[in-house]
Amino acid sequence: MHDDVMPSELVITIDGPAGTGKSTVAYRLAQCLGLEYLDTGSMYRAAALIAIRHQLDPADGGVLATAVAKEAIRFDWSASPPSILLDGENVSERLREMDVSAMVSEVARQPAVRVVLVEQQRSIAAEHPRLVTEGRDQGSVVFPDAKVRFFLHADPAVRAQRRVDQLAAKGSDVDLEVVIADIEQRDHLDSTRSDGPLIRPQGAIDLDTSNMSIDEVVDAMVTRVTRAVADSGDA
Ligand code: DC
């Protein structure tokens, strides 16, 4: 839609907790602007799958980081959204399964694992310089100089309701209060971990998505990116 006016190098970061619609809006924004899309959560999930397959202790960051560095985590950029490959096998669906979800926060807490994945994310951006990248630390740690950085947040009760709706659509019935407690607990863990904590990056554009639809969030982002590009004279 707007890709004709986008510069040849443009990294846009989207940080924020789970349940803010981050992945969906990141992918839609990338499509709208004709940019590529990187889901960094899937890289932490791939690291968890490596731990599962090699029966490694996820709390042993050093051993796991070595395995992650050795095993090639790659993306198939011809797919939309890009699929994630482990040693050539498409594991995109596998990464959403329960065992991976249950292990991934422990894996994401390991500083040694983060070092390896952050380096891979920067290499990806060097090869794919027109990129929308989303995660917990993309604007704060990985790409602090990105031209546009967003921080999405939303009321925990709203995020919990979105999660309950998603699960209900898949046929699972869960209690809203339990999900709210789980989200608050995860926010606390994410924002207090020592390495790559979830924080609002300084200078990032703050969007409260509590009362916004996905379309409204994407529209607001497109406006801000178009303005930032025009202001910098890069277009
Ligand atoms: O967004 P997700 O649920 O796929 O993320 C999986 C896990 O990885 C979750 O525990 C948050 C963590 N993560 C992270 O620590 N840093 C990122 N850049 C992306 C995800």
Side-chain angles (χ1 to χ4, degrees), residues 143-163:
F143 302 107
D145 298 326
K147 185 174 290 296
V148 190
R149 293 173 303 146
F150 291 102
F151 184 70
L152 298 190
H153 57 100
D155 192 323
V158 172
R159 289 157 52 207
Q161 188 61 57
R162 288 173 182 161
R163 181 86 190 120

Side-chain angles (χ1 to χ4, degrees), residues 68-220:
V68 169
K70 214 162 78 189
E71 191 142 347
I73 298 176
R74 299 267 181 276
F75 287 90
D76 174 2
W77 295 94
S78 66
S80 185
S83 18
I84 187 157
L85 311 173
L86 260 194
D87 270 342
E89 177 195 346
N90 182 348
V91 292
S92 306
E93 296 295 322
R94 176 71 183 88
L95 297 184
R96 300 284 136 197
E97 286 178 25
M98 280 303 290
D99 56 345
V100 171
S101 297
M103 190 187 280
V104 67
S105 14
E106 181 65 37
V107 166
R109 251 207 306 273
Q110 304 304 320
V113 173
R114 300 197 73 85
V115 167
V116 172
L117 293 185
V118 165
E119 194 185 297
Q120 291 187 3
Q121 288 153 16
R122 290 184 179 138
S123 305
I124 288 170
E127 282 173 31
H128 301 265
R130 302 173 90 225
L131 193 68
V132 177
T133 177
E134 61 102 343
R136 306 289 196 283
D137 60 348
Q138 296 299 287
S140 55
V141 173
V142 188
F143 302 107
D145 298 326
K147 185 174 290 296
V148 190
R149 293 173 303 146
F150 291 102
F151 184 70
L152 298 190
H153 57 100
D155 192 323
V158 172
R159 289 157 52 207
Q161 188 61 57
R162 288 173 182 161
R163 181 86 190 120
V164 168
D165 293 345
Q166 270 172 1
L167 291 169
K170 289 186 193 159
S172 308
D173 189 17
V174 286
D175 184 59
L176 181 62
E177 295 304 317
V178 173
V179 179
I180 293 177
D182 179 56
I183 281 186
E184 286 177 338
Q185 157 84 353
R186 264 216 280 167
D187 283 357
H188 179 70
L189 283 177
D190 273 356
S191 53
T192 54
R193 77 177 167 220
S194 57
D195 203 15
L198 173 66
I199 50 162
R200 177 182 177 282
Q202 222 175 358
I205 299 166
D206 204 283
L207 284 178
D208 180 348
T209 72
S210 302
N211 298 307
M212 293 172 87
S213 67
I214 296 288
D215 282 348
E216 286 170 334
V217 179
V218 175
D219 284 351

